[in-house]
Amino acid sequence: MLFKPDYTAADVTPEHLFLNRRQLIAGAAALAAGPALAAGPYSTDETPNTYEAITSYNNYYEFGYDKTDPAQYAGALTTDPWSIKVDGLVDNPGTYALADLIGDMPIEERIYRFRCVEAWSMIIPWQGFQLSALLNKLGVQAGAKYVSFETLVRPSEMRGQNGGSIQWPYREGLRLDEAMHPLAFMATGLYGKPLPNQSGAPIRLVVPWKYGFKSAKALVRISLTETQPVTTWNTLAANEYGFYANVNPEVDHPRWSQATERRVGGGLFAGRIDTQMFNGYGDQVASLYSGQDLTKDY
Ligand code: MTE
């Protein structure tokens, strides 16, 4: 299908430019709209990728198939006003203006590893809130077992929606216990600035222990369901992209190895790095999958 393995060095940042980046982020976050809490126990202390790298090398098929298409074309998207429909097994269903839905969420910073199924990775400083906070506010009803996410369909502003093999909207989903995990995050900002369009403005999901395709951008619908949601990549090629999509170096993609990855911006001479089980978040999330065979539930 559309994904290809990643074996080239796409961008290069001199090592000295990495220095003090964390301090820069802390400063930028302090200036961001609303109080951003300091990076807490959920953040990595690895050096984040540059803002430029994070916003110029993207997957966002609504705008095209090339990594540079989102940066080039996503500026056309109107992200205000924005509304999100909430439905299914929830106490407070409805169609909410974004500010009414999330205006009271506590904004914090999370510096997460991000690992694409194509075997490249980045370190990204997000701002946003825990998905669990929103779900608790909405009131998840007994019987709900999954959360499904749908993203925007607007071909007039999303040029990639006028053709191609993906059936829009882009869909993703999580099991309810995954969605309630403190690492599952809703991002509204990047580097202390509002989320840029190519990164999923105005709001996207970020699930750092799963392959990047789970982290759906431009969310417009959240549904609490009893049955496992239909998801875009699983529908396109079920043998290549499972519903769980947990980062797992021991389960190769049918067309490439998942044992290693290329850290974007690592420099011309940097080697590949080992991919970690659950993208390095195993201590926190492995218990979600106890008793499951992850070679089958891939
Ligand atoms: N969300 C939408 N709506 N459309 C997409 O094509 N691509 C996914 C995910 N979310 C995608 C999406 C994939 S394949 C990846 S790897 C990540 O977004 C990329 O996120 P980034 O561009 O912010 O790094």
Side-chain angles (χ1 to χ4, degrees):
M1 300 306 299
L2 304 169
F3 284 131
K4 327 191 257 303
D6 175 284
Y7 288 120
T8 55
D11 69 322
V12 182
T13 302
E15 285 300 318
H16 68 272
L17 292 183
F18 283 150
L19 295 177
N20 291 329
R21 184 135 302 128
R22 224 186 131 93
Q23 283 160 285
L24 286 175
I25 294 164
L31 295 173
L37 304 179
Y42 300 115
S43 287
T44 175
D45 57 10
E46 290 162 89
T47 304
N49 282 90
T50 61
Y51 184 84
E52 292 69 32
I54 296 167
T55 59
S56 63
Y57 186 84
N58 299 100
N59 277 338
Y60 199 168
Y61 295 107
E62 284 88 336
F63 295 101
Y65 291 151
D66 289 342
K67 293 282 182 290
T68 52
D69 284 339
Q72 193 176 348
Y73 299 114
L77 183 65
T78 308
T79 59
D80 184 15
W82 194 270
S83 57
I84 297 188
K85 180 177 178 180
V86 176
D87 60 358
L89 297 165
V90 66
D91 292 337
N92 300 298
T95 298
Y96 296 89
L98 183 62
D100 294 341
L101 186 66
I102 68 163
D104 59 347
M105 292 289 111
I107 299 296
E108 54 180 304
E109 178 175 78
R110 296 281 178 94
I111 303 174
Y112 278 163
R113 286 180 288 277
F114 188 91
R115 177 27 166 108
C116 178
V117 75
E118 295 168 325
W120 53 266
S121 64
M122 296 201 203
I123 305 292
I124 306 185
W126 307 106
Q127 288 79 44
F129 56 88
Q130 281 184 201
L131 175 57
S132 64
L134 179 60
L135 294 176
N136 285 334
K137 170 172 136 169
L138 293 171
V140 177
Q141 294 182 344
K145 296 199 180 85
Y146 296 89
V147 188
S148 111
F149 301 90
E150 277 183 25
T151 81
L152 185 69
V153 179
R154 192 181 291 160
S156 60
E157 292 185 350
M158 296 176 130
R159 63 200 299 277
Q161 287 184 333
N162 295 301
S165 51
I166 294 177
Q167 272 195 315
W168 310 103
Y170 191 94
R171 295 171 204 269
E172 260 309 333
L174 297 170
R175 219 169 53 192
L176 184 59
D177 59 341
E178 297 177 318
M180 295 300 287
H181 192 281
L183 285 171
F185 201 62
M186 296 286 258
T188 54
L190 174 68
Y191 261 105
K193 301 176 190 166
L195 204 58
N197 284 3
Q198 61 267 44
S199 299
I203 185 166
R204 74 175 295 174
L205 185 61
V206 180
V207 192
W209 71 95
K210 294 177 179 283
Y211 291 122
F213 67 84
K214 299 296 286 184
S215 294
K217 300 176 174 184
L219 301 174
V220 295
R221 183 176 176 192
I222 301 172
S223 312
L224 277 296
T225 65
E226 199 186 342
T227 52
Q228 184 175 302
V230 167
T231 58
T232 291
W233 285 98
N234 187 245
T235 305
L236 282 167
N239 64 321
E240 301 197 351
Y241 312 104
F243 173 79
Y244 284 96
N246 291 315
V247 175
N248 189 339
E250 287 157 26
V251 176
D252 285 338
H253 186 279
R255 292 182 281 124
W256 62 85
S257 165
Q258 295 291 26
T260 65
E261 65 202 48
R262 177 180 68 90
R263 180 62 52 80
V264 172
L268 258 190
F269 305 107
R272 297 179 71 81
I273 56 177
D274 287 345
T275 289
Q276 302 178 71
M277 187 67 203
F278 298 115
N279 202 22
Y281 297 99
D283 286 351
Q284 291 102 312
V285 302
S287 61
L288 292 173
Y289 309 101
S290 59
Q292 281 183 256
D293 179 349
L294 297 179
T295 63
K296 294 204 178 77
D297 292 340
Y298 58 87

